[in-house]
Structure formats: structure tokens, C-alpha cells
Amino acid sequence: MKKHFLTSIGALFLLVSAVISCTDHEVPIPEPTQLTASNLFSGLRAPIGMAKDNRGNLWISEIGTGKNDGAVVMISPDGTKTTFVSGFTSVMGPEGGAEGISHVMFHDAKLYILHGIDGKLFIADVSGFKTGDPERKMSDLIVHEYGQLIRKIKPTKDTNSNLYDMTVGPDHNIYMVDAGANAVFKRENSTGDISLFASLPEVGTGPIVDAVPTGIVFDGSKFLISTLSGGPFVKGSAKIFSVDMNGTVGVHSEKFTTLTHITLTANNKPLVIRFANFDKGFVPFSGAVLDENGKELLGGLMMPTDIKRTGDREFYLLSMPLGTVQKLTY
């Protein structure tokens, strides 16, 4: 009796161990169906883009107030803000808001900073920068001027350039979306040279307007690109485009409104942010986080400009007019 009992216990133990070992690393992370927001930081000056480094610091690009006071600031995990560099071009746009710096990206101990108006990519080694360090000078940054070249390439009917966001591709090159040229450009990692990778078609179900790409990610097989769509910002006219490694453009999903950025969940599924609905102007607190099918996961947002995944079930969200960073969880 004792022998059979011990044999049964041993078999049960092996069964439980097998179940635990199989599920410990293979429990799938569910996709978000609803997000909850909590406030993290405030007091930013028209933040437009953000990146998180390998030390837990958050790097944020601030457009500024239109007085050539754009900046990049670092927020440490304890919430302390330190200005990394300031003095970027910041001017008042035709519609009254400040314009200037675009998004930032952290990669291999370096911070990459796009400036749409100046048509430049700035690169800085930030590995040794700490909270409370003196501000770096603009002359300390490596600068690549791409705006004039993009205007000469003229990838679409537009002759404008507004380099807006970037990501690193599987070939280790940087891929940049240009919201003025309505195109994707490839930057060779070894030389810094850029070339046209893909031109985005016009969008719209009523008036046909420019795509205006605002964000780019790589999901493991292709690039996904969020689009604002040009004025008059017709509801449902924005799309998520896909671009494969051959530069072939497709539509991943559509019928969105004023998308300002895109990120990926832990399962490489896209989430996008709606800036606002438009009715003779952008409607306050009509922004939202949406899944790839257009389902609203969190609404009532005030004109968000960036979203980044910072954990399996955690995202950070920027509000440009409120100057805040929120943490989103599910």
C-alpha cells in the first residue's frame, strides 16, 4: 500500500512539475481591451516625442514656446528632470502653435533627435549623462542635414520636408518617416547616406489628402506607419500603412482619424493614438488610444503625441498641450 501511495505521489509531482515548466514561460500576454491611466510627470513644454533608455531614464523632446527654445530633457526614474540640450529652432506656426523639434530615439547608447523644420538629424552619446549634469552644447551634437536633399528627391508631388519619426530596421539601418514629403527614407548605418525607401499614397474617402506619416515601428516582418491625414482631417480618413523590406506599400488597417503615433504591444500588435476629432478646430479631450481594429482602449485624452511600450502591460503617453506623461496599464 505504501509503495503504491508513494508511486502515485511521485507521478503527481512529476505531472505538476511538467505543467508548471510548460506554462511558466509560455503563458501568453493578453492584448489590452481597456487601459487605465495614471499621471507620472508634468511641467513639460509642448512635448512631442519620447524614448526610454537602458537605465530607465525617459528622454523627451520639447517643441518649446516658439522662441527658439526647443529642448531635449531627461527624466530619471525618481522623477527628476534635467535638460540635456536646448536652443533648438522653435517658431510659431501659421495656426498659432509652436513648431520645431520632432521625435527622439534611443539606440546603442546614443540619442537620435529629428528636427522637422530644420530638416536635420542630431546624434548624441548619452551613455555618461546623469541627473544634475550641466547642459550639453548644440555644438557637441553630431548633425546630419537631410531636408534639402529630400526636397531634391521629391518622392511625391510635395516639395516639402518634415522629418518626424524613426525606427531601426532588421538590417540595423534607420528608417525615417517624413510628414512633409509623405515618404519613408532609409539611412545607411555605415555612411549616414539616405535614400527613398517608399512613397505613401494619398488618403481620404471624401476629399483626397496627403497621408502625413507620424510614426513608424517594425513588427518583425514589416514596417507599420501611422498617418495623420491632411486637412480638413475628415473622420475615418487616416490609415495604418504597411511597408515590407522591398519598399512595397500596403494598407494594414483604415478608417482612423488624426493618428499621431504608433507602438507595438508585447505580441507585436499595433496600438495607435488619435490626436483629436476635428470640427472647425481640434476638439479638446477627444483623443484616444486605439487597437489595430479601431477599438477605443482609452478615451478622453488631450491631444496625445507619442505612445511607447515600457513593459509587457505598460505604456507611456505624452500630451503636448498639457505637458504631461501618463502611465497606461492593463
Side-chain angles (χ1 to χ4, degrees), residues 40-259:
L40 277 184
F41 310 109
S42 60
L44 298 167
R45 301 170 312 124
I48 190 77
M50 63 180 164
K52 194 174 184 180
D53 68 18
N54 55 354
R55 297 176 292 162
N57 298 308
L58 196 62
W59 298 83
I60 297 178
S61 52
E62 298 179 315
I63 296 176
T65 64
K67 299 178 181 179
N68 290 326
D69 56 354
V72 173
V73 300
M74 184 189 80
I75 299 176
S76 63
D78 67 1
T80 303
K81 184 176 77 170
T82 303
T83 298
F84 175 67
V85 63
S86 63
F88 290 98
T89 301
S90 176
V91 298
M92 296 306 294
E95 297 179 1
E99 298 178 356
I101 201 169
S102 305
H103 285 262
V104 294
M105 178 182 72
F106 177 81
H107 180 65
D108 279 349
K110 292 182 176 62
L111 192 71
Y112 294 79
I113 307 162
L114 282 177
H115 198 293
I117 288 180
D118 287 350
K120 294 177 180 178
L121 171 67
F122 298 86
I123 306 174
D125 186 335
V126 297
S127 57
F129 192 77
K130 306 181 301 299
T131 298
D133 278 358
E135 185 177 324
R136 297 277 180 88
K137 299 177 181 178
M138 291 286 290
S139 57
D140 295 333
L141 308 184
I142 297 170
V143 186
H144 294 270
E145 205 288 326
Y146 293 129
Q148 292 301 324
L149 177 58
I150 290 171
R151 292 183 181 92
K152 290 179 181 178
I153 293 174
K154 194 178 179 182
T156 58
K157 65 180 179 61
D158 302 283
T159 57
N160 191 18
S161 174
N162 183 3
L163 287 168
Y164 197 74
D165 190 34
M166 63 201 131
T167 193
V168 177
D171 54 2
H172 307 294
N173 296 311
I174 292 176
Y175 292 78
M176 306 180 291
V177 289
D178 191 307
N182 296 292
V184 185
F185 292 90
K186 175 183 176 180
R187 180 185 184 271
E188 295 289 342
N189 184 48
S190 57
T191 64
D193 295 335
I194 66 167
S195 59
L196 177 64
F197 182 67
S199 296
L200 300 180
E202 294 174 320
V203 299
T205 54
I208 302 301
V209 295
D210 291 337
V212 190
T214 54
I216 180 170
V217 292
F218 187 76
D219 73 354
S221 63
K222 60 189 178 300
F223 295 99
L224 296 173
I225 297 167
S226 58
T227 60
L228 181 74
S229 78
F233 310 108
V234 174
K235 183 177 180 180
S237 62
K239 299 180 180 181
I240 300 175
F241 284 106
S242 64
V243 183
D244 67 19
M245 289 305 297
N246 295 317
T248 303
V249 179
V251 175
H252 179 80
S253 49
E254 55 189 344
K255 297 186 178 179
F256 294 94
T257 303
T258 63
L259 300 183

Side-chain angles (χ1 to χ4, degrees), residues 307-327:
I307 184 169
K308 289 286 187 299
R309 183 169 64 85
T310 51
D312 284 346
R313 302 191 191 203
E314 178 186 276
F315 305 85
Y316 282 6
L317 182 81
L318 279 182
S319 168
M320 183 172 65
L322 297 182
T324 58
V325 182
Q326 289 183 304
K327 181 169 73 173

